[in-house]
Amino acid sequence: MPLFGKFKYGGKNVISGSDAGAIAAKLCRPSVISAYPITPQTIIVERLAEMVNNGEMKAEMVKVESEHSAASVQMGAQATGVRTIGASCSQGLALMNEILHVISGLRLPCVMMVANRALSAPISIWNDHSDTMASRDTGWIQLHCENNQEIFDTVIQAYKIAEDKNVMLPIMPCFDGYILSHLYESVNVATQSQVDNFLPAYKAVHHYLDPKRPITIGSVAPPNCYTEFKFQQQKAMDKALKVIKKVNSEFSKEFGRSYGNGLVEEYKLKNADTVLIGMGSVCGTIKSVVDKHKGVGLLRIKSFRPFPTEDIVRALSNAKRVAVVDKAFSFGNAGPLFTEVKAVSPVKKINGFIMGLGGRSITEKDIEFVIKNAGVEKNFWVNVNE
Amino acid sequence: MNNLPEKEYFASGHNACRGCGPAIAMRWIAKAAGDNTVIAHATGCMEVISTLYPYTSWKTPWIHSAFENAGAVGSGVEAALKTLYSKNRPNVLMIGGDGSTFDIGFQALSGAIQRKHNFCYVCYDNEAYQNTGYQRSGATPKYARTTTTPYGKVVHGNDTWQKPMPLIIAAHGAKYIATASVSNVVDLYNKVKKGLEIPGPAYVQVQTPCVPGWGINQASTIQVAKLGVETGAYPLYEIEGGKVKMTRKLEKLVPVKKYLELQARFRNLSEDEVKEFQSRVRYWYKYIESLESKGKVFP
């Protein structure tokens, strides 16, 4: 029984965000798939399994017994010198947290899709950004998508960014669980030859396990060198800022689509006094409200890690008021995106809005509230029953 | 004996204690695996003492990532090797201590065996979390004194017996299971070699006395391990095709007291406790021996 709806390569298809991610991953020719089912990411694993079992995809699918092992298997495979794919979210991402640090520390260019979901307790299978925010400091690049086409495109771009010799860092293409993972939208699905042209076959460099050139990976770093390893990791993040932009424009040449400059997308900022800042699918809602106003614009953060400080400072240079929408919260402080933007914002009238936690809908009315209260001396939990 | 390779794959100069049982095991395990091998190693004593950056003792490709995931990392390695090699595929050797194997990494190992990856997992069993300073693990014998099971006025040392790990692994349907001892490195070598040669998952558990953890003389590692075997405390056997075979048959068990009295961790045992220890050892030795005559007892 085929789970997929019919779709064709090289044309528009109405498919879910999970389908888009799975098909894009397949076109990138990973050799090993390692993922464990978790709602709402599960469809990605199912689609990949279907393609493997139907012989459409030539890859080893390791059906692991936990997310901790999912990340560990992906790590082991990538370190052996092949391209890999993973997928997770929420509790699963929290369980593999330890290994996320190891993967980035070992500079393995893994790609793992995340269908963003809230964290327990209380348990919630619905969307917010608590899971990737809790993974913020794992050393992974985090690229947030607004729609299904962007999921498809970002997965392909992710491999090229991660595998760039100046980067060599793992990437999470992030997209909102259910809101995108289960939403059917028109997606232009590339052909295999288009993707092959854009993304060369994987060739591991330097650190991979090969009996012909034995090396030790994952050794003990005493205090005299641990800092240097971590410093190099940050240098790679700095370099990734440039590489993400470069790959975004290369992608545009090959496929005719791009997402701002790859790091941020500026929407109607030119004459905007009031600037809203957000990540992911909520930006679609914000855009439709912004269209009804004069003097209001949106700065969408696509790359949360590395954090595009320069682009944010430049984009806010004409703004008078800034409102940051967060789908996560750092208890005892404020929204994580808000605190980070505030730290670099040239605009002093800046405040944060907590919205859409655990799948609560963000309506146009909510966005109107944000616009109305942008920049006042107070942060808000929007639409909360106090 | 003459056929044992002279080439070393686990270099000397590492940071293990003098008389370290596990380090002896590493040398022979690595020899058995040879050149064409990838090793996935769990966090533990042997990882810490052998890979202090920028040095390494390992002459074959080697990876370490965490305490509980050698089974999973090795699974990923094996899956990738399948896609890279159509012939002469490298061996996958996974190595973990008893804490990593019996406790925190049990799930990852269980999954790896069930998925039937082609590998040999070697557990070097020093019967406690020795790397962190001698705390009890799921492999620590009853009454053993560790830093988390001190011999107190009310509670005398550890209050649990070891998990019967080789039998648990056998119940998973692993293709080859063996126990070994550093007191017989040729036997260890042969068993690891066999585990790697047999297609599918294999598990070898080798008893490796820990000088500071067990409180033994650094020159007596082999003597203690030898008594572990001769008393029946560490029975040597293998399970192949679901059939149990004793690889060291004991006509008579040496009294376990002789084994216990060499180790400070058992120093304070009362006569009754020694008696209980003796009857437990006899029971398990006889139980495993009894399986030998039963033919195929595991899947």
Side-chain angles (χ1 to χ4, degrees):
Chain A
M1 185 189 68
L3 295 162
F4 264 135
K6 278 192 177 168
F7 70 91
K8 61 173 193 288
Y9 296 102
K12 294 222 170 190
N13 295 273
V14 177
I15 53 174
S16 73
S18 306
D19 294 340
I23 298 166
K26 183 231 170 187
L27 291 169
C28 294
R29 302 181 186 273
S31 298
V32 174
I33 303 163
S34 175
Y36 186 77
I38 181 168
T39 304
Q41 164 274 130
T42 318
I43 301 175
I44 300 171
V45 197
E46 292 172 353
R47 298 298 193 246
L48 292 168
E50 190 186 335
M51 290 190 280
V52 169
N53 283 8
N54 285 338
E56 296 163 49
M57 188 173 178
K58 210 168 162 264
E60 280 294 313
M61 177 141 187
V62 185
K63 292 168 276 291
V64 286
E65 79 296 333
S66 73
E67 283 93 354
H68 194 282
S69 285
S72 301
V73 163
Q74 188 174 6
M75 192 204 82
Q78 190 84 39
T80 308
V82 301
R83 192 176 278 158
T84 62
I85 185 72
S88 193
C89 66
S90 185
Q91 308 304 117
L93 205 59
L95 181 59
M96 62 169 70
N97 183 279
E98 179 197 23
I99 306 307
L100 298 181
H101 288 267
V102 180
I103 290 172
S104 64
L106 294 182
R107 306 294 298 277
L108 297 170
C110 296
V111 174
M112 177 179 62
M113 291 177 256
V114 177
N116 285 93
R117 168 185 147 182
L119 283 170
S120 196
I123 193 161
S124 162
I125 57 168
W126 295 277
N127 166 250
D128 68 29
H129 292 165
S130 312
D131 54 359
T132 49
M133 283 301 171
S135 316
R136 184 190 65 175
D137 298 337
T138 57
W140 284 57
I141 290 172
Q142 295 187 353
L143 302 176
H144 283 262
C145 304
E146 184 186 325
N147 54 48
N148 290 0
Q149 184 69 61
E150 190 175 354
I151 296 170
F152 183 87
D153 296 346
T154 302
V155 169
I156 296 167
Q157 290 184 25
Y159 282 105
K160 196 152 188 179
I161 298 161
E163 294 166 9
D164 188 291
K165 68 177 188 330
N166 290 311
V167 179
M168 297 304 288
L169 289 172
I171 301 192
M172 294 174 195
C174 309
F175 51 93
D176 291 321
Y178 285 119
I179 298 172
L180 294 182
S181 68
H182 287 58
L183 171 80
Y184 281 72
E185 271 191 336
S186 175
V187 174
N188 205 328
V189 173
T191 63
Q192 185 66 64
S193 66
Q194 274 179 303
V195 176
D196 288 346
N197 280 341
F198 178 76
L199 181 70
Y202 184 67
K203 196 176 180 319
V205 286
H206 185 55
H207 54 304
Y208 59 97
L209 300 160
D210 178 0
K212 285 180 207 75
R213 46 175 284 292
I215 58 166
T216 289
I217 300 176
S219 49
V220 182
N224 68 5
C225 64
Y226 182 85
T227 307
E228 281 67 26
F229 279 107
K230 294 293 130 182
F231 184 73
Q232 290 301 325
Q233 229 175 299
Q234 172 52 27
K235 293 261 274 196
M237 274 286 183
D238 286 340
K239 288 177 185 167
L241 286 167
K242 267 194 192 141
V243 175
I244 293 168
K245 281 185 182 173
K246 192 182 88 180
V247 170
N248 181 58
S249 61
E250 282 171 13
F251 190 88
S252 169
K253 273 182 210 131
E254 184 77 35
F255 298 90
R257 291 182 298 273
S258 61
Y259 301 92
N261 67 0
L263 299 167
V264 298
E265 183 196 348
E266 301 180 24
Y267 187 76
K268 299 195 174 171
L269 283 192
K270 213 174 169 194
N271 299 309
D273 291 338
T274 302
V275 176
L276 273 57
I277 295 182
M279 295 199 299
S281 63
V282 70
C283 294
T285 314
I286 295 175
K287 282 175 183 172
S288 74
V289 180
V290 162
D291 288 345
K292 296 174 192 166
H293 287 263
K294 273 201 175 134
V296 181
L298 165 73
L299 177 64
R300 177 166 78 91
I301 311 292
K302 177 170 168 70
S303 172
F304 182 61
R305 281 292 179 274
F307 196 65
T309 301
E310 276 182 28
D311 302 87
I312 293 170
V313 171
R314 184 179 33 73
L316 296 181
S317 57
N318 295 322
K320 302 258 187 319
R321 288 170 295 276
V322 178
V324 183
V325 172
D326 258 296
K327 280 190 171 187
F329 197 73
S330 175
F331 295 97
N333 194 15
L337 182 60
F338 164 69
T339 50
E340 297 217 357
V341 172
K342 192 184 177 191
V344 302
S345 171
V347 182
K348 293 302 154 206
K349 287 186 175 176
I350 178 169
N351 60 349
F353 296 79
I354 305 303
M355 314 171 75
L357 296 190
R360 182 161 299 182
S361 296
I362 299 176
T363 63
E364 295 204 349
K365 212 174 128 200
D366 297 331
I367 302 299
E368 294 286 358
F369 176 86
V370 174
I371 293 170
K372 199 175 148 211
N373 292 287
V376 306
E377 279 182 26
K378 188 184 163 193
N379 296 331
F380 294 90
W381 284 63
V382 180
N383 216 356
V384 68
N385 188 355
E386 287 185 36
Chain B
M1 184 87 79
N2 293 336
N3 296 330
L4 294 174
E6 278 181 29
K7 190 171 169 187
E8 299 293 345
Y9 297 90
F10 181 72
S12 58
H14 52 69
N15 298 309
C17 309
R18 277 174 289 183
C20 172
I24 300 167
M26 290 306 112
R27 181 181 171 208
W28 292 92
I29 293 162
K31 260 186 201 281
D35 286 299
N36 196 26
T37 300
V38 177
I39 299 173
H41 207 300
T43 308
C45 283
M46 290 303 99
E47 166 261 329
V48 170
I49 60 96
S50 65
T51 65
L52 190 68
Y53 187 84
Y55 305 105
T56 182
S57 285
W58 301 95
K59 298 193 176 179
T60 43
W62 183 99
I63 185 165
H64 153 257
S65 88
F67 198 6
E68 67 280 52
N69 68 353
V73 173
S75 296
V77 169
E78 193 255 9
L81 291 174
K82 260 191 209 161
T83 72
L84 290 169
Y85 294 79
S86 55
K87 57 179 183 201
N88 200 26
R89 193 178 298 155
N91 299 316
V92 176
L93 182 65
M94 306 173 186
I95 303 174
D98 53 280
S100 159
T101 307
F102 286 52
D103 295 345
I104 194 167
F106 179 68
Q107 176 186 307
L109 175 58
S110 169
I113 297 166
Q114 195 198 20
R115 290 190 299 267
K116 294 191 170 58
H117 294 282
N118 189 14
F119 66 90
C120 180
Y121 187 106
V122 177
C123 169
Y124 64 95
D125 182 8
N126 53 20
E127 302 187 348
Y129 294 101
Q130 311 294 9
N131 186 40
T132 42
Y134 335 122
Q135 294 85 22
R136 61 87 51 199
S137 77
T140 305
K142 198 171 174 187
Y143 299 119
R145 189 184 70 194
T146 71
T147 52
T148 48
T149 58
Y151 198 89
K153 284 180 186 151
V154 181
V155 181
H156 293 178
N158 189 33
D159 59 358
T160 53
W161 288 107
Q162 307 95 307
K163 295 180 191 173
M165 198 59 183
L167 305 186
I168 294 169
I169 299 298
H172 278 68
K175 297 294 165 199
Y176 178 75
I177 295 107
T179 58
S181 165
V182 280
S183 63
N184 188 344
V185 290
V186 178
D187 183 57
L188 168 65
Y189 172 92
N190 286 330
K191 283 171 173 169
V192 173
K193 211 168 166 55
K194 198 168 174 184
L196 287 165
E197 277 164 8
I198 291 174
Y203 175 83
V204 177
Q205 183 181 302
V206 51
Q207 195 194 34
T208 53
C210 168
V211 170
W214 293 18
I216 57 173
N217 184 304
Q218 65 195 33
S220 66
T221 305
I222 300 302
Q223 186 197 354
V224 171
K226 204 162 170 245
L227 277 167
V229 174
E230 289 170 351
T231 56
Y234 219 84
L236 298 190
Y237 57 98
E238 56 186 12
I239 305 171
E240 198 184 339
K243 290 180 190 159
V244 179
K245 185 184 156 209
M246 302 305 286
T247 55
R248 174 76 194 275
K249 269 203 165 87
L250 302 171
E251 296 298 320
K252 197 167 170 288
L253 306 189
V254 171
V256 80
K257 199 168 188 296
K258 290 203 180 307
Y259 169 65
L260 301 179
E261 67 192 9
L262 291 174
Q263 307 175 47
R265 62 176 176 157
F266 295 119
R267 186 162 293 157
N268 299 316
L269 265 60
S270 68
E271 260 180 48
D272 281 352
E273 285 161 356
V274 172
K275 230 186 241 171
E276 187 191 336
F277 206 110
Q278 180 66 68
S279 71
R280 157 88 187 187
V281 162
R282 188 178 295 114
Y283 171 83
W284 271 100
Y285 182 84
K286 294 288 173 197
Y287 173 71
I288 291 161
E289 198 184 43
S290 75
L291 296 176
E292 193 173 20
S293 60
K294 288 185 177 147
K296 192 171 159 65
V297 285
F298 291 105

